[in-house]
Amino acid sequence: MSEPKGAGGAWTEERRRSDEGRSRPQGGREASEPVSRAAELFTARFGASPDGVWRAPGRANLMGEHTDYNQGFVLPFALGQGIAAAVARQPGPPSQAGRPGWSGRRLVLCSAQEPGARVEVELDGLAPGQVTGWAAYPAGVAWALETAGYRLPGACLAIDSDLPAGAGLSSSAALECAAALALTELAGLDIGRPELAAIAQRAENEFVGVPSGIMDQSASLLGQREHALLLDCRSLETAQVPFDPAAAGSRLLLINTRAEHDLTTGAYGRRRAECERAARELGVPSLRYLTNPADVERLADPVLRRRARHVVTDDQRVLAVVALLTRAAPDAYPRIGLLLTQAHESLRDDFEVSWPQADAAVDAALTAGALGARMIGGGFGGSVLALVRDGAAGPVRAAVADAFARRSWVAPEFLEAVPSARAGRVE
Ligand code: GLA
């Protein structure tokens, strides 16, 4: 999915684990920063206190890339970093109220990452194409909710973030989910989270115009602390899979390669179209229906064969990782590491969505002792996820930084990825 340019925040190195049972989402002390900053921004811009603050996490994906829109399996988890939305149900800024023709059904949006810009969106008559840029994500959610028959009040939203934009960590889905929870709660609507994920996906597909799957919104709305989310994208059934690398003496390192990821450019849509063509030629409703990688050999076109092989093998890798985590075998993490690296090779060679910085980061991380590493998300830029043993994070970071410096690339940024709590109201 594309990343809303205005929603990205500062990248914070090394996040601490938060205490159990806190009302704040996991991510620790730092997770509260966008929350309080969003509330402050609200007061500064709208001259009043927000009714509440909602926060939605970004995601990393442990396994299953480009499988969601093929009705396959994915295994993402919610991050400790995310997007906060301070929101109030009100007709608009005081200057607007009482204006002739003012219905009160208007969204007024501002973002700490877009200083000075204020976007106003009339809910009556709202249609795809009317709003562009970062504001299209919350506006698209409002449009999708109303298209589904829900009626929203006018509202003011102030956004802040500690998720880097363009890093392939789903800041766009986080923005959609924070807005969706805030707007529906202020409207007194009780919508189940799976339905809300589908509505946010529709906003992205039809309002923003990116044909993404349902993984990112599901991870943000359904993720659980110390768990990864197994999602069957055919039945939409979910299961929480225990996933606590720290308890197993390991850590997950995210490497933002600083090559910006933007799925609005069409390459993502082309991959999706190739997969659909491969399924049609193989006579199945989607590539999910193939369970044996040998089945793809029947495809005459070598490109389609490679695309399909990636999807079929990645579905299998998801199930293999789930089995390892569920059985909690002593060698589970080294074996998951090997699967991560295999997935990277498949994304690089068969699906062809990797990029030079990701390949270099994976190679350097492995050479420095990582258990495994791979690019995550849609590809063509963004982040790499490396699984490392405790104590190896420092050498891995140094090796990756050195590999980038030797090529004169912009220095990568690092953060620790901790499977964290789902989106919700925090104030
Ligand atoms: C983006 C999309 C997701 C998924 C991934 C690739 O993040 O938004 O739906 O397709 O790419 O796995």
Side-chain angles (χ1 to χ4, degrees):
M1 90 173 38
S2 69
E3 304 279 341
K5 295 278 186 285
W11 186 278
T12 309
E13 287 206 349
E14 297 298 328
R15 247 156 229 292
R16 293 196 337 237
R17 296 167 56 72
S18 65
D19 299 332
E20 283 266 23
R22 292 165 53 138
S23 58
R24 286 214 186 295
Q26 182 170 338
R29 185 173 49 79
E30 299 88 342
S32 66
E33 287 170 5
V35 170
S36 52
R37 288 199 312 253
E40 284 160 19
L41 179 68
F42 188 98
T43 305
R45 291 294 186 84
F46 301 123
S49 297
D51 292 342
V53 184
W54 286 258
R55 184 188 165 282
R59 65 97 191 92
N61 186 16
L62 184 58
M63 196 60 82
E65 224 62 90
H66 290 271
T67 47
D68 60 354
Y69 57 76
N70 286 300
Q71 298 190 309
F73 299 104
V74 289
L75 191 63
F77 58 93
L79 290 171
Q81 298 78 14
I83 285 190
V87 187
R89 178 192 167 126
Q90 56 183 50
S95 63
Q96 302 287 342
R99 215 176 63 175
W102 167 250
S103 70
R105 293 222 320 133
R106 176 179 293 187
L107 295 183
V108 186
L109 305 152
C110 63
S111 159
Q113 282 71 42
E114 290 283 324
R118 193 168 80 183
V119 181
E120 303 201 2
V121 177
E122 290 288 351
L123 290 176
D124 292 316
L126 183 60
Q130 287 176 1
V131 187
T132 56
W134 69 274
Y137 295 87
V141 164
W143 169 83
L145 280 163
E146 296 232 324
T147 304
Y150 299 109
R151 174 110 180 147
L152 299 176
C156 296
L157 290 85
I159 310 292
D160 205 336
S161 166
D162 62 352
L163 263 179
L169 302 177
S170 290
S171 54
S172 46
L175 180 51
E176 291 157 13
C177 294
L181 286 174
L183 292 174
T184 53
E185 196 174 326
L186 288 180
L189 298 166
D190 187 15
I191 304 178
R193 285 180 178 235
E195 182 182 348
L196 219 47
I199 285 172
Q201 183 199 9
R202 183 166 184 207
E204 181 138 345
N205 291 172
E206 296 179 34
F207 198 89
V208 181
V210 177
S212 50
I214 198 155
M215 170 170 73
D216 305 339
Q217 294 83 358
S218 302
S220 187
L221 287 168
L222 302 172
Q224 227 175 61
R225 188 175 197 279
E226 292 171 3
H227 287 78
L229 178 78
L230 172 61
L231 172 63
D232 178 336
C233 299
R234 184 168 66 187
S235 67
L236 295 183
E237 277 171 347
T238 56
Q240 298 290 343
V241 180
F243 180 44
D244 186 7
S250 296
R251 304 167 73 170
L252 290 164
L253 190 64
L254 276 172
I255 304 162
N256 176 9
T257 67
R258 309 282 294 275
E260 271 215 14
H261 144 103
D262 180 2
L263 298 185
T264 52
T265 57
Y268 179 91
R270 281 198 295 281
R271 290 296 180 282
R272 186 173 179 152
E274 286 165 349
C275 290
E276 285 162 4
R277 210 160 73 231
R280 262 197 316 277
E281 288 187 16
L282 289 166
V284 287
S286 71
L287 292 178
R288 157 63 183 278
Y289 287 78
L290 304 178
T291 49
N292 183 352
D295 291 341
V296 309
E297 301 305 325
R298 287 190 281 124
L299 286 163
D301 180 338
V303 173
L304 295 191
R305 210 182 304 138
R306 290 204 301 276
R307 305 293 188 252
R309 185 164 54 220
H310 165 73
V311 173
V312 176
T313 57
D314 233 34
D315 273 336
Q316 292 184 333
R317 281 186 284 270
V318 172
L319 299 179
V321 171
V322 170
L324 287 165
L325 288 173
T326 309
R327 284 203 312 271
D331 61 347
Y333 278 79
R335 289 173 66 185
I336 291 170
L338 291 176
L339 289 163
L340 287 176
T341 306
Q342 279 174 19
H344 184 75
E345 287 162 2
S346 177
L347 286 159
R348 184 192 61 201
D349 302 336
D350 280 346
F351 218 65
E352 296 179 282
V353 289
S354 190
W355 62 103
Q357 287 88 339
D359 296 338
V362 167
D363 286 349
L366 294 175
T367 307
L371 297 174
R374 72 172 186 85
M375 57 148 283
I376 59 167
F380 312 106
S383 295
V384 161
L385 181 70
L387 180 63
V388 298
R389 281 286 185 218
D390 269 348
V396 167
R397 288 165 53 147
V400 174
D402 184 54
F404 276 50
R406 270 187 284 115
R407 292 166 173 87
S408 306
W409 287 337
V410 180
E413 294 176 304
F414 302 95
L415 97 148
E416 191 173 2
V418 178
S420 298
R422 66 186 194 169
R425 186 173 186 157
V426 283
E427 272 180 13

